[in-house]
Amino acid sequence: MDKFRMIFQFLQSNQESFMNGICGIMALASAQMYAAFDFNCPCLPRYNLAYGLGILFVPPLVLFLLGFVMNNNVSMLAEEWKRPTGMRQKDPAVLRYMFCSMAQRAMIAPAVWISVTLLDGKCILCAFSTSVPVEKLGNLSYTGLSEKEMKRILARIPCKEIYDGQQLIPNEVAIRYLRCISQALGWSFVLLMTMLAFLVRSLRPCFTQAAFLKSKYWSHYIDIERKLFDETCTEHAKSFAKVCIQQFFEAMNKDMGMGHPHLPEKTPSEAGEEKEKLLGITDQGTMNKLLKSWHKCKPPLCLQQELFQNRNGWAGESQPLSPGSLPKREIIAYYSRV
Amino acid sequence: MDRFRMIFQYFQSNSESVMNGICGLLALASVKIYTSFDFNCPCLPKYNTAYGMGIMFVPPIALFLCGLIVNRQSVVMLEEWKRPTGGRKKDLAIIRYMCSSIIQRAMVAPIVWIIVTLLDGKCFICAFSGSIDPEKFAGFANLTQMQTQLLLSKVPCKDDELMRNNTSRKAVSRYLRCWSQALGWSILLLLIVVAFLARWLRPCFNQAAFVQTRYWSNYIDMEQKIFEETCCEHARDFANKCILHFFESMRKEIKLRHFNMPRGEEEADHLRGITDQEQVNKLLKSWYSGKPPLDVSQTTQRQPLGKERACTSVPWVDTVNNRWAAAQKANVSRQTDV
C-alpha cells in the first residue's frame, strides 16, 4: 500500500514528467508510423500535388486531435468550462492554462511527423516534381515540348521505373534537387519549432509568474478534487450496497419467522461502522439529490467558515431537531485511507 | 518498497546526476539522428556550400535549444533571476554559476554532432568540393572555369553519369575527407584539453566561494521542487476536506462538533492553517513577490500571511558566524551555519 502511495505521490508531484513521457511515446509512435507507411506517389500531373500535400498535412491533424482525445484532462476542462457557477466562481485563467498545456503536448506528435516527412523528402519530391526548374537543371532546348507534355514527363520523376525524360532532365539531378530543398525546409522547420518552444518556456518567468503559480495550483486542485469525489462516491456506494443487502437479508429472515437465526449477528460496532461510512445518505432520493447538487452547485472553496458554523451548531439548518434529542457529540471518521 | 523510496530519494537529492544523464541521452540521440539522416548533396554549384554548411550548423543550434528546454534548471534559474527581491537578496554569483552549468550541459549534443559530421566527412566534401584548386588534380586542369565548377560540384555524387568513371573524383574526395577528419580530431583534442584544464585549475581559484555558490544553487533547485510537492499535498487535503464538507451539508439530522478529529491533527498539519481560496491565492502571490529570508530558526513561530518579511533578519546578524558578512556587512542576504 505504501508502495502505491509513494508511486502516486511521485507521479503526482512529477506530473510534468509523466505527461512528458507520454508525449515522447507519441512522438516515437508518429515516427514509427511514418516509417511503416508505404508511400506511393501516383506520378500523374495534378494528383501528385494533392497526394503529396495530403500526406504531409492530414496525418498531423489526425495526430493532433488524437493527442487531445488521449489526454484525460480534456473531459476535466470541458466539465469545468460548462458547469453552472453556483457558489464557486469560474476562473478563466485556469481554463486557459489547462487548454494551453494540453495543446502544447498535443502538438508534439504532428510536429515530429512533419519534420520526419520533410527530412525524408518523398512527399515534397512527389508534390513538386512538376515545378522543377528545367531551364537550370536540364536541357530546355531539347524538344519543343508542349506545356502539358512536359508536365506529364516531369510528373514521372518520383517513379524511376517509368521515367522517360532522361534527355530532358536526368532523374537523379531532379531528385537530388528536390530532396535538398525538402531537407532544408525540414531542418528550418525543426529549428523554428525548437526556437518557439524555447521562447515560450523562457519568457514565462519574466511575465505573469504569480498568475502562473495560481493557475497551476488550481488546475491541479480541480483534477484531484474530481478524482477524490469519484473515490468517495465509490466507497459510499459500496457501503450503501452492503447495508442494503444486509437489511434485505434481515427482513427476509424476519419474514420467514423468528426461529431461523442462521445469519450470524454482526456485532453492533461493525454494523455501526458500515452505517457511519454512509455519511448519513441512506436513500435513493437523497443520493440523487446529492449528485445533482454536486453538478449544479459546487461548494465554495472555504473550509474555515464551515468550521465556524459547526462550532456554533448547524447555523444554516432549517429542520428542527427531533424532539428529545440533545445535540449529540459524535466523533466520526469520514474517509478511509486513500 | 525500499527500492522505490531509494529511487525517489535519489532523484530528489541529486538533480545534477539526472541532468548529466539527460545530457548523455541527448548526445546519443544526436549521433543516432545523424546516422539515420539520409545525406543528399545536391551537386549543383551554389547549392553545395549552402547545403553542407546548413547540415553542419543548423541541427547543432536546434540541439542546443533542445538541451536548454529539457533542462529543468534553466527555468529555475530564470525564475531566480527575474523574481522581485522581497525579503531575500539575489546573488548574481549563483545565477552565473547556474547559467554556466546549464550552458555547458546544453553544448554537449551540438559538439557531438559537429565532431561526428567532420569525422564522417560527407558534409565537408559536399560544401568545399567547389573551392579546391583544380590545378592540383589531373582530371580537372585544362578546363574552362564553368566546366571546372560544374565538375567539381559533382564530386560528392558518386553515381552521377559524369563522375562514374572519373578517377580524379576519388582523389578530390580523399583529399577533402582527410582535411575534414583532421579538423574533427583537432577540435576534439582541443575541447578535451580545455575541459581538463578548466577542471584541474578550478580549485586553484576561489574554491571557497565556489563551494558556497554550488550549495545555494542546489538549495534553490531543491526548494522549488519541495514547494511544488507541498502544494500538491495541500491541494489534496484541501480537496478531501471540501468534498467531505459537501457530503456533510446534505445531512439533515446529524449534528457534529469536530469534523477534523481524530485524523484532524494530521490534516490540520498539512493544511497549515490555509483553509480558503483567498488565503491560498495570497500565499502563492506572496511566495512570488517576497520570498522569505533564509532563516529557518525563526519559522518556529508561524507568521501570518501578507506580512512583510523584509526585516526579520536583524537579531541574527550579531550572533551567527557568517562567512559572507566579510563582504557584505550591511546587506546580509543569507545566514548559514555551515
Side-chain angles (χ1 to χ4, degrees):
Chain A
M1 229 321 285
D2 245 353
K3 190 165 72 174
F4 287 116
R5 185 206 288 271
M6 278 200 46
I7 295 179
F8 187 52
Q9 266 181 352
F10 180 70
L11 286 178
Q12 282 261 305
S13 67
N14 269 357
Q15 207 182 31
E16 295 252 337
S17 14
F18 181 65
M19 295 306 300
N20 288 346
I22 295 207
C23 274
I25 290 179
M26 275 204 68
L28 285 175
S30 154
Q32 186 57 31
M33 250 170 41
Y34 180 80
F37 174 65
D38 189 13
F39 191 85
N40 176 47
C41 194
C43 294
L44 298 164
R46 271 189 285 270
Y47 288 66
N48 274 6
L49 187 65
Y51 186 83
L53 292 182
I55 297 294
L56 185 59
F57 291 122
V58 167
L61 211 61
V62 168
L63 286 168
F64 183 68
L65 293 173
L66 203 65
F68 267 106
V69 161
M70 295 213 333
N71 196 334
N72 289 337
N73 293 345
V74 161
S75 55
M76 180 176 86
L77 174 64
E79 258 179 47
E80 177 65 16
W81 186 28
K82 280 298 177 190
R83 69 173 169 94
T85 308
M87 282 194 279
R88 189 191 286 183
Q89 293 289 347
K90 285 197 256 198
D91 188 357
V94 172
L95 292 170
R96 269 199 309 267
Y97 170 81
M98 279 162 48
F99 180 74
C100 280
S101 80
M102 279 193 277
Q104 279 170 23
R105 297 209 161 87
M107 288 237 277
I108 291 188
V112 167
W113 175 279
I114 293 180
S115 314
V116 170
T117 307
L118 288 174
L119 290 178
D120 188 35
K122 288 192 287 234
C123 268
I124 297 286
L125 175 63
C126 184
F128 294 108
S129 63
T130 48
S131 324
V132 168
V134 186
E135 59 282 355
K136 252 201 298 187
L137 303 173
N139 314 315
L140 196 56
S141 56
Y142 165 58
T143 48
L145 284 173
S146 69
E147 189 73 28
K148 209 166 150 197
E149 185 62 23
M150 193 154 70
K151 285 235 182 301
R152 194 189 58 80
I153 293 180
L154 288 177
R156 292 203 180 154
I157 288 177
C159 304
K160 289 189 233 195
E161 317 82 51
I162 58 171
Y163 185 60
D164 52 358
Q166 203 65 11
Q167 308 301 320
L168 175 62
I169 174 172
N171 198 317
E172 308 84 44
V173 172
I175 289 181
R176 273 200 307 259
Y177 176 79
L178 286 168
R179 282 190 86 199
C180 153
I181 303 261
S182 172
Q183 286 176 348
L185 276 176
W187 281 117
S188 314
F189 179 76
V190 166
L191 185 64
L192 185 69
M193 287 284 115
T194 39
M195 205 165 304
L196 268 177
F198 173 71
L199 283 175
V200 162
R201 213 171 141 118
S202 57
L203 290 182
R204 199 244 307 133
C206 307
F207 310 100
T208 72
Q209 177 71 352
F212 170 76
L213 283 177
K214 223 168 70 165
S215 311
K216 195 160 83 157
Y217 180 88
W218 289 117
S219 85
H220 192 228
Y221 172 83
I222 292 170
D223 188 22
I224 289 186
E225 193 189 51
R226 202 171 72 128
K227 286 193 192 112
L228 282 177
F229 184 75
D230 286 343
E231 276 171 30
T232 315
C233 281
T234 310
E235 272 176 34
H236 189 275
K238 212 160 117 179
S239 306
F240 203 110
K242 258 194 196 161
V243 172
C244 209
I245 291 170
Q246 207 177 332
Q247 284 177 353
F248 172 74
F249 272 87
E250 279 171 11
M252 295 303 326
N253 205 14
K254 280 203 190 101
D255 275 351
M256 287 195 291
M258 311 292 258
H260 300 276
H262 286 292
L263 296 171
E265 288 282 329
K266 271 217 164 101
T267 63
S269 63
E270 277 179 37
E273 201 181 291
E274 285 299 328
K275 281 237 166 75
E276 278 169 11
K277 281 197 186 156
L278 285 177
L279 307 173
I281 316 295
T282 46
D283 67 84
Q284 186 184 25
T286 319
M287 190 66 209
N288 285 345
K289 206 160 166 223
L290 178 142
L291 289 170
K292 195 165 165 199
S293 160
W294 177 258
H295 169 67
K296 278 231 156 67
C297 183
K298 285 217 161 78
L301 290 165
C302 179
L303 306 177
Q304 195 78 357
Q305 132 195 20
E306 285 169 347
L307 172 59
F308 184 68
Q309 274 182 355
N310 283 329
R311 270 205 277 268
N312 289 351
W314 199 242
E317 176 128 326
S318 49
Q319 284 194 5
L321 293 172
S322 50
S325 72
L326 298 165
K328 295 192 186 106
R329 291 176 173 216
E330 296 185 46
I331 294 169
I332 297 168
Y334 286 128
Y335 43 88
S336 58
R337 287 156 203 78
V338 250
Chain B
M1 213 289 286
D2 254 346
R3 199 171 57 181
F4 283 112
R5 188 198 292 277
M6 272 179 52
I7 294 177
F8 192 44
Q9 275 178 345
Y10 175 74
F11 277 119
Q12 279 259 309
S13 66
N14 219 348
S15 61
E16 288 236 347
S17 329
V18 170
M19 292 305 147
N20 287 346
I22 292 187
C23 163
L25 274 174
L26 259 183
L28 285 175
S30 148
V31 174
K32 181 80 179 114
I33 293 176
Y34 182 80
T35 48
S36 55
F37 175 64
D38 189 10
F39 190 84
N40 174 54
C41 194
C43 295
L44 298 164
K46 281 194 264 288
Y47 287 66
N48 275 6
T49 318
Y51 186 82
M53 291 288 107
I55 297 295
M56 189 134 60
F57 293 120
V58 166
I61 298 178
L63 285 166
F64 180 71
L65 292 174
C66 258
L68 292 177
I69 291 170
V70 155
N71 195 340
R72 225 188 109 263
Q73 265 205 342
S74 53
V75 176
V76 170
M77 181 204 79
L78 276 170
E79 281 173 13
E80 174 68 14
W81 185 32
K82 280 295 174 187
R83 69 174 170 91
T85 309
R88 186 193 288 181
K89 291 231 156 48
K90 287 197 256 198
D91 187 1
L92 283 178
I94 292 174
I95 296 176
R96 272 198 308 265
Y97 171 82
M98 285 171 86
C99 193
S100 82
S101 92
I102 290 166
I103 289 186
Q104 278 169 31
R105 290 199 172 92
M107 290 270 273
V108 172
I111 288 179
V112 165
W113 176 280
I114 291 178
I115 289 181
V116 168
T117 307
L118 286 173
L119 292 181
D120 188 32
K122 287 190 292 230
C123 267
F124 202 82
I125 296 176
C126 185
F128 293 110
S129 68
S131 329
I132 58 155
D133 182 9
E135 302 302 321
K136 286 196 191 148
F137 302 94
F140 298 109
N142 306 328
L143 290 172
T144 65
Q145 173 81 335
M146 280 271 298
Q147 277 179 325
T148 326
Q149 274 303 312
L150 194 65
L151 278 181
L152 282 176
S153 67
K154 293 219 185 277
V155 161
C157 299
K158 288 187 254 222
D159 303 320
D160 192 78
E161 48 190 354
L162 290 173
M163 285 285 132
R164 228 166 263 159
N165 302 321
N166 193 330
T167 46
S168 306
R169 181 197 69 78
K170 287 197 195 138
V172 173
S173 185
R174 270 200 308 264
Y175 173 78
L176 286 169
R177 191 176 233 164
C178 153
W179 269 106
S180 168
Q181 288 180 343
L183 198 59
W185 284 116
S186 315
I187 291 180
L188 186 60
L189 183 66
L190 182 70
L191 286 173
I192 290 183
V193 165
V194 164
F196 170 76
L197 284 175
R199 225 167 147 140
W200 208 45
L201 293 178
R202 202 225 314 117
C204 306
F205 301 100
N206 214 353
Q207 178 70 350
F210 172 74
V211 170
Q212 282 179 353
T213 323
R214 195 169 64 177
Y215 176 88
W216 289 114
S217 79
N218 270 341
Y219 171 83
I220 291 172
D221 193 21
M222 203 61 43
E223 190 189 51
Q224 216 234 17
K225 268 190 224 151
I226 293 180
F227 180 73
E228 279 172 17
E229 276 169 32
T230 313
C231 278
C232 283
E233 269 175 34
H234 188 273
R236 173 158 246 289
D237 297 319
F238 202 110
N240 239 337
K241 283 276 150 70
C242 210
I243 289 167
L244 287 167
H245 280 195
F246 177 75
F247 271 82
E248 266 308 294
S249 72
M250 298 304 293
R251 283 200 205 200
K252 301 235 164 82
E253 23 342 80
I254 299 181
K255 233 198 226 193
L256 27 103
R257 194 183 62 135
H258 295 289
F259 66 89
N260 56 352
M261 294 195 37
R263 284 198 182 276
E265 312 218 336
E266 207 180 287
E267 293 307 319
D269 278 345
H270 279 158
L271 278 178
R272 295 174 178 83
I274 316 296
T275 49
D276 70 53
Q277 188 180 20
E278 281 315 306
Q279 286 182 348
V280 172
N281 285 345
K282 236 181 184 181
L283 176 140
L284 291 170
K285 192 161 173 212
S286 84
W287 176 258
Y288 169 69
S289 59
K291 280 216 163 80
L294 290 165
D295 188 354
V296 174
S297 63
Q298 283 196 323
T299 56
T300 46
Q301 340 158 352
R302 263 223 226 124
Q303 297 183 4
L305 283 176
K307 211 175 187 182
E308 271 314 302
R309 300 173 199 268
C311 321
T312 51
S313 57
V314 172
W316 275 89
V317 173
D318 301 325
T319 54
V320 165
N321 176 22
N322 189 345
R323 274 193 227 170
W324 297 39
Q328 312 155 15
K329 280 215 170 103
N331 307 329
V332 171
S333 59
R334 288 180 173 85
Q335 287 90 26
T336 167
D337 289 335
V338 175

